[in-house]
Amino acid sequence: MSTITEYLESLHGYSIAVIGMGVSNTPLIRMFLRAGLKVTVCDKAPRERVEEQAAELESLGAKLHLGPGYLDRLARFDLIFRTPGLSPNTPELREAAERGSIVTSEMELFFQMCPCKIIGVTGSDGKTTTTTLISEFLKEAGYNVYVGGNIGKPLLPDVAGMTPEDMVVVELSSFQLMSMGQSPNVAVFTNLSPNHLDYHHTMEEYTAAKINIFRYQEPGDRAIFNYDNDITRALSKQAPTAVMLFSRKQSLEEGVYLRDGAIWLTNEIGSREVLPLADIQIPGVHNIENYMAAIAAVDGLVPDKKVRAVAQRFTGVEHRIELVRELDGVKYYNDSIGTSPTRTMACLDSFNQKLILIAGGYDKGVPFTQLGVEIIKKVKTLILTGDTAPAIRKAVEEAEGYRDSGLKLIETEDLSAAVAAAQGAAVAGDVVVLSPACAAFDRFKNFMERGRVFKELVNAL
């Protein structure tokens, strides 16, 4: 189908199930209902937890299938849209597909319908900042830019208003990529490390999902890879189209790299200095890498002076080493996006002093061994809370040098107690950071809610 209107018209007579009434699917449900389609919304939440939203969707004509048996009898539907959080390998989805149901997602349909160039960003860490930087560069250069995907906004409802001259920048999680059969025109792979192993079960499955960001690229497309990450460097050899590498650690004959305190780019045209590091306002060497990835993505689209203009004013994305306040000479930072050990280690690397670190949360099945080693080097007081507190403590206590480190370990019942303990341990000149190294689902809806609660607690001190 050439347009979203034609696609919606083609669905009359179909029985449609939409699994999940969260951020990515609710606009999709509304769009289908406005088009007069028959939609059943399936969600594991019981009615009493989603009463207001349920009543609204029913008033628009949706049928609801809520609670523990929400995946029962999926095979009776012609078309099923899954939520990203539900694996396509779920037995009920596989059975439905085997019986003839079409199983897809909002993001897959968007890729089919989108009329303009798509830049997609994935990786274990740095996705949101890199996605945001790319979109800011493009806006500064005068493009009409749509930003969405895993960053929080579904784009399918906007597709009718898009033109071929517009630009789309999407953050893509492994959950979204797992069933994708199309790749973006420019694919950015920031890095890869063990993550979400509670969902994917094996590193091989996690990697296979991520590879879809470049697997289906066509001639004229481009893929960007982190040369310093062993996995992404190896994966770059599988790319079917043009490849550009970026490296913070060494000069490259071709690609994006550091030289003399600036980010340089070398391509078939020649070499040039793009961005002095002094212009970058956000802390951390990982953010230098995010800038490199973004610069590689917009090469040929955005003039260097526009990149510099953005860098000089961009102060970061919420929940990413975000300064909350300074109180009694102590600075408090919110890095709730630190949902994996590698993210938290990058956060620790962003400061030139030992920190008071608040960590712990939902267990994704990721090992904490290396995090324990880094905590010994870079943390003076470790405050643990959440389900993974015992596992992180064990990794720290088993790390070489722990006995002589002087590290103080505190376990607390909840985030409120952790913030209070941090204030009690801090003296003027200290830095307190929430960077949990874990997801938030043990106590919070998501990392954003955890970050907001942390900021409220800190601002109430």
Side-chain angles (χ1 to χ4, degrees), residues 383-387 389 410-419 421 442-444:
I383 301 167
L384 294 170
T385 188
D387 289 355
I410 302 171
E411 283 196 47
T412 58
E413 188 173 324
D414 55 26
L415 188 56
S416 176
V419 170
D442 60 332
R443 308 286 174 86
F444 302 96

Side-chain angles (χ1 to χ4, degrees), residues 425-436:
V427 296
D430 276 342
V431 171
V432 175
V433 181
L434 168 73
S435 189

Side-chain angles (χ1 to χ4, degrees), residues 334-365:
N334 164 32
D335 190 52
S336 186
I337 189 60
T339 56
S340 68
T342 52
R343 274 191 180 276
T344 293
M345 288 189 283
C347 174
L348 298 180
D349 276 340
S350 301
F351 296 90
N352 296 317
Q353 66 183 88
K354 284 201 167 188
L355 309 175
I356 296 172
L357 173 66
I358 300 173
Y362 173 78
D363 190 354
K364 294 193 287 185

Side-chain angles (χ1 to χ4, degrees), residues 75 85 138 150 224 238 243 277 293 297 350 380 383-385 389 396 449:
L138 292 167
N150 194 54
I224 317 294
Q238 299 181 27
V243 167
L277 297 185
S350 301
K380 61 187 287 187
I383 301 167
L384 294 170
T385 188
V396 170
E449 182 186 61

Side-chain angles (χ1 to χ4, degrees), residues 390-455:
I392 298 175
R393 182 176 194 127
K394 184 172 184 286
V396 170
E397 291 177 341
E398 291 179 352
E400 185 178 351
Y402 166 68
R403 291 184 183 279
D404 301 321
S405 67
L407 175 70
K408 185 178 181 182
L409 272 167
I410 302 171
E411 283 196 47
T412 58
E413 188 173 324
D414 55 26
L415 188 56
S416 176
V419 170
Q423 185 185 30
V427 296
D430 276 342
V431 171
V432 175
V433 181
L434 168 73
S435 189
C438 306
F441 310 131
D442 60 332
R443 308 286 174 86
F444 302 96
K445 185 177 178 182
N446 49 43
F447 77 85
M448 292 89 78
E449 182 186 61
R450 176 173 63 190
R452 286 192 290 269
V453 170
F454 175 73
K455 291 195 287 185

Side-chain angles (χ1 to χ4, degrees), residues 95-300:
E95 180 190 354
E98 287 165 4
R99 293 193 178 189
S101 301
I102 300 169
V103 180
T104 187
S105 67
E106 181 267 338
M107 185 57 68
E108 289 172 80
L109 180 56
F110 172 73
F111 265 65
Q112 294 168 30
M113 296 288 116
C114 181
C116 53
K117 182 186 282 283
I118 301 175
I119 300 176
V121 181
T122 199
S124 297
D125 305 321
K127 293 188 295 295
T128 299
T129 298
T130 302
T131 300
T132 304
L133 285 172
I134 292 168
S135 66
E136 290 299 312
F137 293 162
L138 292 167
K139 289 174 188 174
E140 187 75 15
Y143 291 95
N144 185 36
V145 184
Y146 293 87
V147 188
N150 194 54
I151 205 168
K153 184 183 188 305
L155 290 171
L156 191 60
D158 294 333
V159 77
M162 294 179 182
T163 71
E165 292 74 36
D166 296 334
M167 297 290 290
V168 166
V169 188
V170 287
E171 177 184 320
L172 295 168
S173 70
S174 58
F175 305 160
Q176 291 166 316
L177 285 166
M178 199 170 179
S179 55
M180 292 286 285
Q182 280 182 267
S183 296
N185 305 101
V186 178
V188 180
F189 212 141
T190 61
N191 47 58
L192 197 65
S193 60
N195 202 352
H196 300 299
L197 299 187
D198 56 323
Y199 180 101
H200 291 291
H201 305 300
T202 67
M203 187 64 184
E204 289 74 21
E205 183 182 292
Y206 177 54
T207 304
K210 291 288 194 182
I211 286 173
N212 284 342
I213 196 167
F214 64 81
R215 177 178 288 171
Y216 305 105
Q217 285 191 310
E218 299 175 350
D221 293 341
R222 180 165 32 130
I224 317 294
F225 295 89
N226 185 343
Y227 183 87
D228 300 335
N229 181 273
D230 292 343
I231 303 175
T232 52
R233 184 172 66 250
L235 291 176
S236 69
K237 296 176 174 60
Q238 299 181 27
T241 55
V243 167
M244 182 176 278
L245 301 171
F246 66 92
S247 174
R248 180 176 57 83
K249 298 180 179 178
Q250 67 180 75
S251 292
L252 300 173
E253 289 184 12
E254 192 169 340
V256 180
Y257 53 92
L258 291 187
R259 180 196 291 173
D260 302 327
I263 295 174
W264 283 65
L265 188 150
T266 299
N267 58 18
E268 65 278 1
I269 300 172
S271 299
R272 68 185 197 272
E273 179 184 320
V274 179
L275 177 66
L277 297 185
D279 284 354
I280 297 176
Q281 302 300 306
I282 49 178
V285 293
H286 61 294
N287 280 317
I288 295 173
E289 294 177 0
N290 294 335
Y291 264 95
M292 289 177 153
I295 286 167
V298 302
D299 184 36

